[in-house]
Amino acid sequence: MDELALTLANLFCAADADQAAARTLLAWAQLTQPHWACLLFWDAELGRYIIGDTWLPAMSSMDAPTLRRHVLKVAQQHDPATAGTPEPGFFYQPLNTPDQHVGALCAGLDQVPAATDEYGLLVNCTARALYTSTRLEQADQVQQQLEAERARLEQLLQAVEQQQRTIDQLLLAERQLSASLEAKVEERTAALHAAQARLIQSEKLAVIGQLASSLAHELNNPLQAIQSGLGLIMSEVDSKGSPRMHADLSTIQQELERIESIFHQMLDFYRPVSFEFVPLDLNAICEGVRVLLRKRLQETHITLVLELAANLPLTCGDSNQIKQILINLILNADEALAPDGGTIALRTTSDGQTVCLSVSDDGPGIDPQHQARLFEPLFTTKTRGLGLGLAISQEIAQRHDGSITAHSTPDQGTTFTVRLPVRRHCHDE
Ligand code: ADP
C-alpha cells in the first residue's frame, strides 16, 4: 500500500500529460504484472481512440508498434465504457472520470484483475490524473492561444492608434487648410466689399456731377442776370445808399459768388477733363501749390512747412488733378485750424515702390465716429461745406492707381496721406 501510495503521489505530481501517461503505465504494470500494457487516449471530438504509450518487458519478443496497432484495432471494436476481455489474454480497462471517458488501459493478462480497493483506486486515480493533466495541457494551449490573441490584439490596437494619429494629423491639416481658406474667403469678401463701395461712391459722384452739370446749365443764365442786375444796383446806390443797404448788397454778392463757386467745384469734378498721364515730380507740384495758396494762407495765419524728400522717384499722372487733391487737403487743414491759424506740414517720402504725399495739421482732429465716413460723397461737418473735397480726392487718387488715407487723433491733429505708385515709364491711359 505504501508503494501504491507513492506511485499514485508520483502520478499526481506529473509535470505534463506524457509524464502522467508514463507513470500510469508503470503503476499498472506494478499492480497487475501483465505481459504487456498499452495506454489509449479517447479523442472526444473524433469519437475514437488515439494510441498512447506502451509498456513491454525488456525481453519481450513483440515489437511496440505491432502491439500498439493490434491494441488499437481490438479496443476500437470494444464498447469504450465497459471493462472486459475482447479476446483471450487481452484485458480492456476503461478510464472514466465522473465527467467523461478519457481513455483505456489494455494489458496482456492471464486473468482479469480482482476488483480490489487497490485496483479501483489505481483506475480512478489514473483516470483522474490523465484527465487533469490533459485538461491542464489544454488550458495551457488555450492560455497560449489567448496570449497569441492578446499579442495580435495589441498589434491591432497599435495599428489602430497609428491610424488614429494619422487621422488626427489629417484632421489638423484639414482644419489648417479650411482656416486658411476661410481667411482667403474673408480677404476676397473684404476686397469685394471695398470694390463695391468704390463703385457705389463713383456712381454717387457721377450722379452728383450730372445733377450739377444740368443745374449749372439751367441756372447759369439767371445767375448771370442776377449778378449783372446786382452790379447795376450797386453802382446806382453807390453814394446814395445807407451803410446798411451797402452791407446787404455786399452779402447778396458774396452769396451769389458762393453759389457760383459751388457749381464750379461740382463741375470741375464731373467735367470729363482730358486725363494726362505724364511723369510727375511731386516735389515740384508741392512747390507750385505753395505759390498758389500763399495769399490765402497768409490771410488765415497758416505757416506752410515743406519737407520734401531728395531724389524723390517719379510717378505718372495728371498734375492738375494731383494739385487739386493737395489744395483740397490743405484747405481742409486750413479750415480745421481756423480761426487762430497754425502750422500745416507738407511732406514727400518714398520707399522705392510708392511715393507718398502727406498733409498734416495740428488742429482739433476728427471725431472717431466720423472717421469711417470721411470719403463718402456729401459727408460734411461744416455748416457751409459740400462734403465733396475728400470724395473727389479719393476718386482722383484711385484713378492714378493710388490711395488716400486719414490718420487723426482728437485734439492733436490730422494727417492725410496720398500714396501713388513709383513709375519709370508712363503710357497714356
Ligand atoms: P467739406 O470740406 O466740404 O466738409 P470734405 O470732403 O473735404 O468736405 O471733408 C469732409 C469732412 O472731413 C469735413 O467736413 C471735416 O469734418 C472732415 N475733415 C477733413 N479734413 C479735416 C482736417 N484736416 N481736420 C479735421 N477734420 C477734417
Side-chain angles (χ1 to χ4, degrees):
M1 182 64 189
D2 282 351
E3 202 182 330
L4 180 67
L6 191 68
T7 307
L8 294 180
N10 267 335
L11 193 61
F12 279 108
C13 292
D16 52 31
D18 283 350
Q19 209 175 53
R23 289 181 184 176
T24 299
L25 269 184
L26 199 66
W28 176 258
Q30 277 173 0
L31 193 75
T32 58
Q33 307 286 322
H35 303 301
W36 51 265
C38 185
L39 183 63
L40 297 176
F41 295 105
W42 179 253
D43 189 322
E45 270 181 33
L46 296 175
R48 62 177 171 80
Y49 283 117
I50 50 174
I51 198 77
D53 283 8
T54 312
W55 175 87
L56 271 175
M59 304 306 291
S60 172
S61 56
M62 258 196 293
D63 65 312
T66 316
L67 173 67
R68 277 203 287 269
R69 272 198 301 278
H70 181 69
V71 167
L72 190 61
K73 192 174 151 206
V74 175
Q76 301 284 30
Q77 290 160 2
H78 189 78
D79 172 15
T82 347
T85 49
E87 63 180 49
F90 190 112
F91 176 66
Y92 172 90
Q93 173 60 55
L95 298 174
N96 296 330
T97 68
D99 308 324
Q100 66 185 103
H101 179 64
V102 292
L105 275 164
C106 302
L109 292 177
D110 292 333
Q111 60 180 35
V112 174
T116 60
D117 285 349
E118 285 183 5
Y119 182 74
L121 195 61
L122 177 70
V123 169
N124 282 340
C125 287
T126 48
R128 177 60 71 178
L130 272 183
Y131 176 75
T132 309
S133 56
T134 313
R135 288 305 280 271
L136 279 177
E137 230 164 53
Q138 281 171 354
D140 275 354
Q141 279 171 6
V142 171
Q143 172 84 10
Q144 279 169 11
Q145 280 168 2
L146 286 176
E147 279 292 320
E149 187 65 9
R150 194 181 62 80
R152 200 178 67 79
L153 285 176
E154 242 168 42
Q155 274 181 352
L156 213 66
L157 196 67
Q158 279 173 4
V160 168
E161 279 173 358
Q162 180 59 41
Q163 270 178 1
Q164 184 64 45
R165 277 196 292 275
T166 314
I167 290 170
D168 285 350
Q169 283 169 354
L170 285 174
L171 280 176
L172 187 71
E174 191 265 341
R175 270 200 294 277
Q176 285 170 345
L177 190 71
S178 63
S180 83
L181 280 178
E182 267 171 32
K184 273 192 188 144
V185 169
E186 269 175 26
E187 205 177 286
R188 296 270 159 87
T189 312
L192 197 68
H193 283 156
Q196 273 175 342
R198 275 205 302 280
L199 196 68
I200 290 169
Q201 181 132 337
S202 302
E203 278 174 3
K204 268 191 194 172
L205 286 172
V207 170
I208 292 164
Q210 274 169 348
L211 195 66
S213 159
S214 43
L215 268 181
H217 185 73
E218 291 297 322
L219 298 182
N220 197 37
N221 290 344
L223 195 64
Q224 294 294 325
I226 294 170
Q227 270 178 330
S228 55
L230 184 68
L232 284 174
I233 294 171
M234 284 177 90
S235 57
E236 266 182 38
V237 293
D238 197 15
S239 50
K240 297 170 242 164
S242 65
R244 169 80 190 275
M245 185 184 272
H246 278 289
D248 287 347
L249 287 173
S250 134
T251 310
I252 293 172
Q253 192 179 29
Q254 277 168 19
E255 290 305 308
L256 282 175
E257 279 167 9
R258 187 170 131 72
I259 293 173
E260 204 179 9
S261 116
I262 290 174
F263 280 141
H264 279 142
Q265 256 194 68
M266 287 175 150
L267 282 173
D268 274 354
F269 180 70
Y270 174 68
R271 208 182 291 142
V273 281
S274 61
F275 182 78
E276 273 188 333
F277 204 69
V278 294
L280 294 183
D281 175 3
L282 293 188
N283 285 349
I285 291 178
C286 290
E287 297 284 4
V289 169
R290 173 168 44 189
V291 174
L292 209 66
L293 295 180
R294 179 174 291 144
K295 191 161 172 291
R296 154 82 187 242
L297 296 178
Q298 265 172 7
E299 284 167 10
T300 49
H301 314 292
I302 299 289
T303 310
L304 184 66
V305 180
L306 261 61
E307 293 174 22
L308 305 180
N311 304 319
L312 190 71
L314 297 180
T315 181
C316 294
D318 187 299
S319 67
N320 280 331
Q321 293 199 16
I322 301 298
K323 263 185 205 160
Q324 191 181 345
I325 297 183
L326 260 187
I327 292 169
N328 285 345
L329 297 180
I330 294 173
L331 291 183
N332 271 346
D334 173 290
E335 284 171 13
L337 291 166
D340 301 332
T343 305
I344 298 175
L346 192 53
R347 291 187 189 87
T348 55
T349 54
S350 174
D351 60 3
Q353 309 283 313
T354 326
V355 271
C356 297
L357 194 60
S358 65
V359 177
S360 307
D361 64 66
D362 51 3
I366 301 171
D367 188 335
Q369 67 179 9
H370 293 153
Q371 289 187 15
R373 303 190 56 201
L374 289 180
F375 298 99
E376 267 180 31
L378 304 180
F379 173 77
T380 181
T381 56
K382 300 170 191 167
T383 36
R384 295 167 76 88
L386 266 184
L388 280 177
L390 290 179
I392 289 170
S393 301
Q394 189 184 54
E395 182 74 16
I396 295 174
Q398 284 169 357
R399 273 188 212 158
H400 285 76
D401 295 329
S403 64
I404 176 166
T405 52
H407 180 78
S408 182
T409 313
D411 298 328
Q412 288 186 22
T414 304
T415 296
F416 281 90
T417 306
V418 181
R419 291 184 179 78
L420 299 171
V422 168
R423 291 189 202 260
R424 284 172 192 85
H425 308 286
C426 304
H427 308 284
D428 275 354
E429 288 192 343

mmCIF file of all heavy atoms in Angstrom, residues 230-265:
data_model
loop_
_atom_site.group_PDB
_atom_site.id
_atom_site.type_symbol
_atom_site.label_atom_id
_atom_site.label_comp_id
_atom_site.label_asym_id
_atom_site.label_seq_id
_atom_site.Cartn_x
_atom_site.Cartn_y
_atom_site.Cartn_z
ATOM 1 N N LEU A 230 -27.428 143.023 -60.058
ATOM 2 C CA LEU A 230 -26.900 143.442 -58.757
ATOM 3 C C LEU A 230 -25.785 144.473 -58.949
ATOM 4 O O LEU A 230 -25.712 145.475 -58.217
ATOM 5 C CB LEU A 230 -26.368 142.216 -58.004
ATOM 6 C CG LEU A 230 -25.858 142.476 -56.593
ATOM 7 C CD1 LEU A 230 -27.005 142.864 -55.644
ATOM 8 C CD2 LEU A 230 -25.143 141.264 -56.028
ATOM 9 N N GLY A 231 -24.942 144.263 -59.987
ATOM 10 C CA GLY A 231 -23.849 145.206 -60.282
ATOM 11 C C GLY A 231 -24.416 146.583 -60.572
ATOM 12 O O GLY A 231 -23.922 147.609 -60.071
ATOM 13 N N LEU A 232 -25.509 146.593 -61.405
ATOM 14 C CA LEU A 232 -26.134 147.870 -61.765
ATOM 15 C C LEU A 232 -26.671 148.573 -60.521
ATOM 16 O O LEU A 232 -26.427 149.745 -60.287
ATOM 17 C CB LEU A 232 -27.282 147.630 -62.748
ATOM 18 C CG LEU A 232 -26.857 147.319 -64.199
ATOM 19 C CD1 LEU A 232 -28.074 146.947 -65.029
ATOM 20 C CD2 LEU A 232 -26.174 148.555 -64.787
ATOM 21 N N ILE A 233 -27.402 147.783 -59.687
ATOM 22 C CA ILE A 233 -27.994 148.371 -58.472
ATOM 23 C C ILE A 233 -26.882 148.948 -57.590
ATOM 24 O O ILE A 233 -26.985 150.064 -57.084
ATOM 25 C CB ILE A 233 -28.799 147.317 -57.681
ATOM 26 C CG1 ILE A 233 -30.009 146.876 -58.499
ATOM 27 C CG2 ILE A 233 -29.237 147.855 -56.325
ATOM 28 C CD1 ILE A 233 -30.763 145.695 -57.934
ATOM 29 N N MET A 234 -25.783 148.195 -57.459
ATOM 30 C CA MET A 234 -24.706 148.643 -56.575
ATOM 31 C C MET A 234 -24.069 149.937 -57.076
ATOM 32 O O MET A 234 -23.739 150.828 -56.306
ATOM 33 C CB MET A 234 -23.652 147.547 -56.424
ATOM 34 C CG MET A 234 -24.122 146.441 -55.510
ATOM 35 S SD MET A 234 -22.971 145.122 -55.365
ATOM 36 C CE MET A 234 -21.989 145.662 -53.986
ATOM 37 N N SER A 235 -23.929 150.031 -58.432
ATOM 38 C CA SER A 235 -23.317 151.274 -58.932
ATOM 39 C C SER A 235 -24.297 152.441 -58.798
ATOM 40 O O SER A 235 -23.909 153.566 -58.548
ATOM 41 C CB SER A 235 -22.810 151.093 -60.371
ATOM 42 O OG SER A 235 -23.873 150.683 -61.171
ATOM 43 N N GLU A 236 -25.612 152.125 -58.916
ATOM 44 C CA GLU A 236 -26.589 153.209 -58.777
ATOM 45 C C GLU A 236 -26.663 153.736 -57.344
ATOM 46 O O GLU A 236 -26.752 154.931 -57.099
ATOM 47 C CB GLU A 236 -27.979 152.720 -59.191
ATOM 48 C CG GLU A 236 -28.246 153.029 -60.652
ATOM 49 C CD GLU A 236 -29.647 152.584 -61.060
ATOM 50 O OE1 GLU A 236 -30.581 152.732 -60.237
ATOM 51 O OE2 GLU A 236 -29.788 152.082 -62.194
ATOM 52 N N VAL A 237 -26.627 152.842 -56.383
ATOM 53 C CA VAL A 237 -26.750 153.302 -54.989
ATOM 54 C C VAL A 237 -25.392 153.640 -54.380
ATOM 55 O O VAL A 237 -25.281 153.857 -53.167
ATOM 56 C CB VAL A 237 -27.451 152.221 -54.087
ATOM 57 C CG1 VAL A 237 -28.872 152.057 -54.484
ATOM 58 C CG2 VAL A 237 -26.683 150.922 -54.090
ATOM 59 N N ASP A 238 -24.395 153.681 -55.274
ATOM 60 C CA ASP A 238 -23.009 153.840 -54.832
ATOM 61 C C ASP A 238 -22.823 154.861 -53.710
ATOM 62 O O ASP A 238 -22.383 154.543 -52.621
ATOM 63 C CB ASP A 238 -22.173 154.208 -56.059
ATOM 64 C CG ASP A 238 -20.715 153.987 -55.775
ATOM 65 O OD1 ASP A 238 -20.449 153.281 -54.751
ATOM 66 O OD2 ASP A 238 -19.859 154.462 -56.512
ATOM 67 N N SER A 239 -23.280 156.147 -53.998
ATOM 68 C CA SER A 239 -23.024 157.173 -52.985
ATOM 69 C C SER A 239 -24.277 157.470 -52.171
ATOM 70 O O SER A 239 -24.196 157.953 -51.042
ATOM 71 C CB SER A 239 -22.527 158.448 -53.677
ATOM 72 O OG SER A 239 -23.414 158.747 -54.734
ATOM 73 N N LYS A 240 -25.421 157.045 -52.755
ATOM 74 C CA LYS A 240 -26.669 157.450 -52.096
ATOM 75 C C LYS A 240 -27.108 156.482 -50.978
ATOM 76 O O LYS A 240 -27.668 156.921 -49.982
ATOM 77 C CB LYS A 240 -27.808 157.541 -53.146
ATOM 78 C CG LYS A 240 -27.564 158.598 -54.202
ATOM 79 C CD LYS A 240 -28.583 158.455 -55.325
ATOM 80 C CE LYS A 240 -27.887 158.152 -56.642
ATOM 81 N NZ LYS A 240 -28.750 157.641 -57.660
ATOM 82 N N GLY A 241 -26.875 155.278 -51.149
ATOM 83 C CA GLY A 241 -27.437 154.269 -50.224
ATOM 84 C C GLY A 241 -26.882 154.370 -48.797
ATOM 85 O O GLY A 241 -25.787 154.889 -48.570
ATOM 86 N N SER A 242 -27.729 153.853 -47.892
ATOM 87 C CA SER A 242 -27.305 153.841 -46.493
ATOM 88 C C SER A 242 -26.240 152.752 -46.286
ATOM 89 O O SER A 242 -26.173 151.801 -47.072
ATOM 90 C CB SER A 242 -28.518 153.532 -45.609
ATOM 91 O OG SER A 242 -28.965 152.219 -45.901
ATOM 92 N N PRO A 243 -25.433 152.864 -45.240
ATOM 93 C CA PRO A 243 -24.433 151.807 -44.969
ATOM 94 C C PRO A 243 -25.095 150.437 -44.847
ATOM 95 O O PRO A 243 -24.574 149.427 -45.272
ATOM 96 C CB PRO A 243 -23.809 152.228 -43.646
ATOM 97 C CG PRO A 243 -24.176 153.646 -43.450
ATOM 98 C CD PRO A 243 -25.395 153.954 -44.269
ATOM 99 N N ARG A 244 -26.264 150.371 -44.259
ATOM 100 C CA ARG A 244 -26.996 149.109 -44.089
ATOM 101 C C ARG A 244 -27.300 148.469 -45.447
ATOM 102 O O ARG A 244 -27.107 147.279 -45.667
ATOM 103 C CB ARG A 244 -28.291 149.436 -43.314
ATOM 104 C CG ARG A 244 -29.310 148.351 -43.255
ATOM 105 C CD ARG A 244 -28.915 147.321 -42.169
ATOM 106 N NE ARG A 244 -29.739 146.166 -42.251
ATOM 107 C CZ ARG A 244 -30.925 146.049 -41.674
ATOM 108 N NH1 ARG A 244 -31.387 147.048 -40.924
ATOM 109 N NH2 ARG A 244 -31.623 144.953 -41.794
ATOM 110 N N MET A 245 -27.766 149.359 -46.407
ATOM 111 C CA MET A 245 -28.086 148.871 -47.756
ATOM 112 C C MET A 245 -26.828 148.323 -48.422
ATOM 113 O O MET A 245 -26.849 147.270 -49.053
ATOM 114 C CB MET A 245 -28.680 150.019 -48.575
ATOM 115 C CG MET A 245 -29.158 149.571 -49.948
ATOM 116 S SD MET A 245 -29.722 150.973 -50.893
ATOM 117 C CE MET A 245 -31.415 151.082 -50.415
ATOM 118 N N HIS A 246 -25.696 149.061 -48.251
ATOM 119 C CA HIS A 246 -24.423 148.591 -48.832
ATOM 120 C C HIS A 246 -24.033 147.228 -48.287
ATOM 121 O O HIS A 246 -23.631 146.334 -49.039
ATOM 122 C CB HIS A 246 -23.306 149.610 -48.539
ATOM 123 C CG HIS A 246 -23.318 150.753 -49.506
ATOM 124 N ND1 HIS A 246 -22.949 150.618 -50.828
ATOM 125 C CD2 HIS A 246 -23.683 152.062 -49.341
ATOM 126 C CE1 HIS A 246 -23.068 151.778 -51.440
ATOM 127 N NE2 HIS A 246 -23.539 152.676 -50.558
ATOM 128 N N ALA A 247 -24.195 147.080 -46.967
ATOM 129 C CA ALA A 247 -23.829 145.797 -46.329
ATOM 130 C C ALA A 247 -24.696 144.670 -46.876
ATOM 131 O O ALA A 247 -24.201 143.577 -47.205
ATOM 132 C CB ALA A 247 -23.996 145.907 -44.816
ATOM 133 N N ASP A 248 -26.016 144.891 -47.017
ATOM 134 C CA ASP A 248 -26.929 143.854 -47.527
ATOM 135 C C ASP A 248 -26.564 143.455 -48.946
ATOM 136 O O ASP A 248 -26.531 142.277 -49.301
ATOM 137 C CB ASP A 248 -28.382 144.363 -47.491
ATOM 138 C CG ASP A 248 -28.903 144.407 -46.050
ATOM 139 O OD1 ASP A 248 -28.214 143.819 -45.171
ATOM 140 O OD2 ASP A 248 -29.955 145.027 -45.814
ATOM 141 N N LEU A 249 -26.307 144.510 -49.770
ATOM 142 C CA LEU A 249 -25.978 144.218 -51.178
ATOM 143 C C LEU A 249 -24.676 143.420 -51.277
ATOM 144 O O LEU A 249 -24.565 142.472 -52.068
ATOM 145 C CB LEU A 249 -25.846 145.532 -51.972
ATOM 146 C CG LEU A 249 -27.178 146.232 -52.263
ATOM 147 C CD1 LEU A 249 -26.947 147.593 -52.905
ATOM 148 C CD2 LEU A 249 -28.052 145.368 -53.177
ATOM 149 N N SER A 250 -23.717 143.798 -50.406
ATOM 150 C CA SER A 250 -22.448 143.061 -50.473
ATOM 151 C C SER A 250 -22.645 141.608 -50.012
ATOM 152 O O SER A 250 -22.037 140.675 -50.544
ATOM 153 C CB SER A 250 -21.411 143.848 -49.678
ATOM 154 O OG SER A 250 -20.697 143.071 -48.857
ATOM 155 N N THR A 251 -23.523 141.373 -49.015
ATOM 156 C CA THR A 251 -23.818 139.979 -48.600
ATOM 157 C C THR A 251 -24.431 139.204 -49.759
ATOM 158 O O THR A 251 -24.047 138.046 -50.042
ATOM 159 C CB THR A 251 -24.803 139.969 -47.402
ATOM 160 O OG1 THR A 251 -24.303 140.847 -46.416
ATOM 161 C CG2 THR A 251 -24.986 138.579 -46.842
ATOM 162 N N ILE A 252 -25.387 139.852 -50.477
ATOM 163 C CA ILE A 252 -26.023 139.177 -51.625
ATOM 164 C C ILE A 252 -24.952 138.811 -52.650
ATOM 165 O O ILE A 252 -24.929 137.682 -53.169
ATOM 166 C CB ILE A 252 -27.110 140.092 -52.260
ATOM 167 C CG1 ILE A 252 -28.268 140.278 -51.267
ATOM 168 C CG2 ILE A 252 -27.624 139.487 -53.559
ATOM 169 C CD1 ILE A 252 -29.297 141.308 -51.698
ATOM 170 N N GLN A 253 -24.043 139.759 -52.888
ATOM 171 C CA GLN A 253 -22.998 139.495 -53.886
ATOM 172 C C GLN A 253 -22.133 138.286 -53.466
ATOM 173 O O GLN A 253 -21.836 137.394 -54.255
ATOM 174 C CB GLN A 253 -22.120 140.739 -54.047
ATOM 175 C CG GLN A 253 -21.214 140.627 -55.252
ATOM 176 C CD GLN A 253 -20.359 141.876 -55.415
ATOM 177 O OE1 GLN A 253 -20.030 142.549 -54.422
ATOM 178 N NE2 GLN A 253 -20.030 142.206 -56.629
ATOM 179 N N GLN A 254 -21.751 138.266 -52.160
ATOM 180 C CA GLN A 254 -20.907 137.159 -51.662
ATOM 181 C C GLN A 254 -21.618 135.803 -51.815
ATOM 182 O O GLN A 254 -21.022 134.805 -52.217
ATOM 183 C CB GLN A 254 -20.575 137.369 -50.189
ATOM 184 C CG GLN A 254 -19.403 138.301 -49.974
ATOM 185 C CD GLN A 254 -19.293 138.715 -48.496
ATOM 186 O OE1 GLN A 254 -19.843 138.066 -47.615
ATOM 187 N NE2 GLN A 254 -18.623 139.820 -48.263
ATOM 188 N N GLU A 255 -22.905 135.809 -51.500
ATOM 189 C CA GLU A 255 -23.639 134.535 -51.577
ATOM 190 C C GLU A 255 -23.756 134.072 -53.031
ATOM 191 O O GLU A 255 -23.675 132.872 -53.319
ATOM 192 C CB GLU A 255 -25.024 134.663 -50.926
ATOM 193 C CG GLU A 255 -24.989 134.818 -49.425
ATOM 194 C CD GLU A 255 -24.227 133.698 -48.728
ATOM 195 O OE1 GLU A 255 -24.499 132.507 -48.969
ATOM 196 O OE2 GLU A 255 -23.300 134.014 -47.937
ATOM 197 N N LEU A 256 -23.950 135.063 -53.931
ATOM 198 C CA LEU A 256 -24.018 134.692 -55.359
ATOM 199 C C LEU A 256 -22.683 134.101 -55.807
ATOM 200 O O LEU A 256 -22.643 133.104 -56.548
ATOM 201 C CB LEU A 256 -24.361 135.926 -56.216
ATOM 202 C CG LEU A 256 -25.827 136.335 -56.194
ATOM 203 C CD1 LEU A 256 -26.031 137.630 -56.984
ATOM 204 C CD2 LEU A 256 -26.715 135.237 -56.798
ATOM 205 N N GLU A 257 -21.584 134.707 -55.318
ATOM 206 C CA GLU A 257 -20.252 134.181 -55.669
ATOM 207 C C GLU A 257 -20.071 132.762 -55.122
ATOM 208 O O GLU A 257 -19.483 131.894 -55.754
ATOM 209 C CB GLU A 257 -19.154 135.099 -55.107
ATOM 210 C CG GLU A 257 -18.919 136.306 -55.993
ATOM 211 C CD GLU A 257 -18.071 137.370 -55.297
ATOM 212 O OE1 GLU A 257 -17.519 137.095 -54.195
ATOM 213 O OE2 GLU A 257 -17.965 138.472 -55.853
ATOM 214 N N ARG A 258 -20.629 132.590 -53.933
ATOM 215 C CA ARG A 258 -20.506 131.240 -53.329
ATOM 216 C C ARG A 258 -21.265 130.204 -54.165
ATOM 217 O O ARG A 258 -20.757 129.111 -54.437
ATOM 218 C CB ARG A 258 -21.054 131.288 -51.908
ATOM 219 C CG ARG A 258 -20.833 130.010 -51.151
ATOM 220 C CD ARG A 258 -21.158 130.190 -49.684
ATOM 221 N NE ARG A 258 -22.017 129.116 -49.215
ATOM 222 C CZ ARG A 258 -21.630 127.879 -49.035
ATOM 223 N NH1 ARG A 258 -20.392 127.542 -49.278
ATOM 224 N NH2 ARG A 258 -22.464 126.963 -48.616
ATOM 225 N N ILE A 259 -22.469 130.574 -54.609
ATOM 226 C CA ILE A 259 -23.240 129.650 -55.462
ATOM 227 C C ILE A 259 -22.424 129.310 -56.698
ATOM 228 O O ILE A 259 -22.317 128.132 -57.096
ATOM 229 C CB ILE A 259 -24.603 130.274 -55.851
ATOM 230 C CG1 ILE A 259 -25.493 130.421 -54.612
ATOM 231 C CG2 ILE A 259 -25.305 129.427 -56.910
ATOM 232 C CD1 ILE A 259 -26.787 131.171 -54.858
ATOM 233 N N GLU A 260 -21.811 130.329 -57.276
ATOM 234 C CA GLU A 260 -21.023 130.122 -58.482
ATOM 235 C C GLU A 260 -19.853 129.167 -58.203
ATOM 236 O O GLU A 260 -19.587 128.235 -58.979
ATOM 237 C CB GLU A 260 -20.478 131.480 -58.963
ATOM 238 C CG GLU A 260 -20.171 131.476 -60.442
ATOM 239 C CD GLU A 260 -19.657 132.842 -60.888
ATOM 240 O OE1 GLU A 260 -19.383 133.705 -60.018
ATOM 241 O OE2 GLU A 260 -19.533 133.040 -62.099
ATOM 242 N N SER A 261 -19.214 129.397 -57.029
ATOM 243 C CA SER A 261 -18.050 128.555 -56.719
ATOM 244 C C SER A 261 -18.467 127.096 -56.477
ATOM 245 O O SER A 261 -17.769 126.164 -56.848
ATOM 246 C CB SER A 261 -17.291 129.150 -55.533
ATOM 247 O OG SER A 261 -17.307 128.283 -54.437
ATOM 248 N N ILE A 262 -19.650 126.930 -55.842
ATOM 249 C CA ILE A 262 -20.134 125.552 -55.630
ATOM 250 C C ILE A 262 -20.348 124.866 -56.978
ATOM 251 O O ILE A 262 -19.929 123.725 -57.206
ATOM 252 C CB ILE A 262 -21.440 125.553 -54.795
ATOM 253 C CG1 ILE A 262 -21.099 125.967 -53.354
ATOM 254 C CG2 ILE A 262 -22.105 124.189 -54.804
ATOM 255 C CD1 ILE A 262 -22.305 126.155 -52.458
ATOM 256 N N PHE A 263 -20.992 125.571 -57.897
ATOM 257 C CA PHE A 263 -21.202 124.987 -59.232
ATOM 258 C C PHE A 263 -19.876 124.606 -59.871
ATOM 259 O O PHE A 263 -19.729 123.537 -60.455
ATOM 260 C CB PHE A 263 -21.946 125.963 -60.146
ATOM 261 C CG PHE A 263 -23.427 125.973 -59.885
ATOM 262 C CD1 PHE A 263 -24.168 127.142 -59.918
ATOM 263 C CD2 PHE A 263 -24.096 124.784 -59.611
ATOM 264 C CE1 PHE A 263 -25.523 127.140 -59.681
ATOM 265 C CE2 PHE A 263 -25.453 124.785 -59.373
ATOM 266 C CZ PHE A 263 -26.174 125.962 -59.396
ATOM 267 N N HIS A 264 -18.887 125.510 -59.706
ATOM 268 C CA HIS A 264 -17.586 125.225 -60.314
ATOM 269 C C HIS A 264 -16.942 123.982 -59.716
ATOM 270 O O HIS A 264 -16.430 123.138 -60.433
ATOM 271 C CB HIS A 264 -16.645 126.433 -60.163
ATOM 272 C CG HIS A 264 -16.937 127.468 -61.206
ATOM 273 N ND1 HIS A 264 -16.893 128.817 -60.958
ATOM 274 C CD2 HIS A 264 -17.328 127.340 -62.511
ATOM 275 C CE1 HIS A 264 -17.240 129.469 -62.054
ATOM 276 N NE2 HIS A 264 -17.516 128.582 -63.009
ATOM 277 N N GLN A 265 -17.048 123.911 -58.373
ATOM 278 C CA GLN A 265 -16.455 122.736 -57.706
ATOM 279 C C GLN A 265 -17.065 121.448 -58.246
ATOM 280 O O GLN A 265 -16.370 120.483 -58.545
ATOM 281 C CB GLN A 265 -16.750 122.798 -56.214
ATOM 282 C CG GLN A 265 -15.562 123.224 -55.372
ATOM 283 C CD GLN A 265 -15.862 122.904 -53.909
ATOM 284 O OE1 GLN A 265 -15.937 121.748 -53.512
ATOM 285 N NE2 GLN A 265 -16.054 123.944 -53.133
#
